[in-house]
Amino acid sequence: MKSIVFIKRVPSTTTQVRIQDGVSLDPSGVEFELNPYDDFAVEEALQQRESAGEGAVTAVSFGTADARKELLTVLAKGADEALLLESERAPAVDGATTASILADAVRGKEFDLLLFGKQAVDRDQHGVGPAVATLLGVPCISEVVEIKIEGGTVHAKREVEGGHEEVEAPLPCAITCHKGLNEPRFANLKGIMAAKKKPMETIQVEIPSPKVEVLSMEFPPERPEGRIIGEGAEAVPALVDALRNEAKVL
Amino acid sequence: MSCVLVLLETRDGQVRPTSLEALGAARDLADSSSGTVHALAVEEADLDLVALGSAGADHVHACGAEAHSADGSAATAASLARELDASVVLLAATIRGRDLLGRIAAKLDSGFAADCIEIQASDSGLECLRPVYGGKAQLRVRVTGQVAAASLRPNHFNPADRDAEALLVQASASEGSAKVLGIHAGAGDRPDVAEATIVVSGGRGLESADNWHILEDLADALPGAALGASRAVVDAGWRPHGEQVGQTGKTVSPELYFAVGISGAIQHLAGMSSSKVIVAINKDPDAPIFGHATYGIVGEASEVVPALAAEIRKVLE
């Protein structure tokens, strides 16, 4: 099973966001990590290679030179090779343009699976995986929590509002991965040592003119000051009264 | 915005309420330049032309496909958008919606903005406000080009309320290669936490998965309420991941959010702080959640929640 897994370096979910120049995240003091959903994609690629007993896992990232660190982590977990599509402007590039850069980079390569995290936890768009698949003309099943591949067909289960959807698609196929699909492994010392010797290619990418321009980054409006109604069950009638007559939501 | 296309989402043959919100948003865009609103229903559905017209649609294109196929739907929407020379394609930012948005944009070679909470037409494109970093910040963006694709967060837009009937147009759907074989409803008939207008969420303060019945009872007392959970209790296996609210779970913005026994970790706050009214119930008076709540009660969940359910039943009777 040949997989290409797409990963992104993102600010950790514990980040306290500060805004720089009114348009972007101030990266000073921010810890970056492998996008948590991409970890499920990496694990799936490794498990599919292991259960097929053959194949390869290529990790691809569009990012700044710093994204080498996350690619190295993925190599340490067991991927065979890595490709960095490098641009210092990468963090500002919109989803549609990112998708076209990723699709161009892997077009013509041989693969059975394209694996993505269901969303990057910075821009939260959920769009890049399905867009890359569309540009490459392969089917895509998104937000997958269970997967079974048999005789060239992918059977997948995905969470939808209030239940699950069962979807079937032929290989080659793209999958965007959700929590629950698998238990991502940690890199061990042997993997970390081996990763340094694995091939990592860097290509400088030209950024085409953007399809989406950022006008500003702002904080959500502050919530009006709330109040403590009281303590224990005694406070309940006053709460219900406030919900009905003040907030008018009951 | 001379022509706005809305891709309707249907389940069990019914148009989902979030799609009516998208029609209302489309109506506002179209009215700013005396344009038209076209709705597209790819799958076989019961299309009430008065309800769709009232919500904002002028024309409803019905394909009557037997099953949902994401690539098929995206191709159908993109080809209709081209045929109509639509300047905007809108859909609800549901799980299906976010699956489709990137595909439609790729087919149209357009940009996209997902999960928008505000949109407006401008001379040089569609301006959108959308949460990023799980809601810790918001990005104001402009989708440039001939056509813009955007998905709209549930509970942020309203259907129009017009006296109008939409015109039905028969259309045909493109074939897709990925097919939905079936949908299996989860246990119970509560709405999904991401779409509900009232959410009752619990955290570690409930002390055990066995205590969830008190939250279920509170949710039962509130018509249309969904259950939610903090990441800690999902990771502990007390509740399914589908209920997780927060940066690595679902983002919710209901009218009323109850945070019971939830301390208010930053990644949970990110997922629920756009709720209209937040009620926090926590025994720790210093819990960060109180800093974000509209109303708070300091106390044990096991004592406060049953009393709250009883009081709500009493006043709603």
Side-chain angles (χ1 to χ4, degrees), chain B residues 224-290:
Chain B
L227 286 173
S230 72
R231 177 177 173 169
V233 304
V234 170
D235 285 351
W238 295 3
R239 300 302 301 173
H241 178 255
E243 290 181 5
Q244 185 182 321
V245 173
Q247 199 172 358
T248 52
K250 288 175 178 163
T251 300
V252 303
S253 46
E255 292 275 298
L256 178 54
Y257 187 88
F258 290 92
V260 181
I262 292 176
S263 62
I266 185 164
Q267 82 111 340
H268 185 80
L269 295 172
M272 48 63 88
S273 56
S274 66
S275 306
K276 190 173 157 210
V277 172
I278 296 171
V279 174
I281 297 167
N282 204 298
K283 65 180 172 191
D284 174 9
D286 297 323
I289 190 76
F290 285 121

Side-chain angles (χ1 to χ4, degrees), chain B residues 1 4 20 66 81-82 117 165 208 215 282 305 309:
Chain B
M1 300 291 162
V4 182
L20 301 180
E66 275 176 29
R82 249 189 243 107
I117 56 175
E165 184 173 345
S208 150
L215 293 190
N282 204 298
V305 175

Side-chain angles (χ1 to χ4, degrees), chain A residues 27 31 48 57 125 160 207 233:
Chain A
E31 264 191 56
Q48 291 294 339
V57 176
Q125 297 225 83
V160 294
I207 310 289

Side-chain angles (χ1 to χ4, degrees), chain B residues 50 53-55 160-165:
Chain B
V50 172
S54 164
D161 185 13
R162 308 191 305 160
D163 195 7
E165 184 173 345

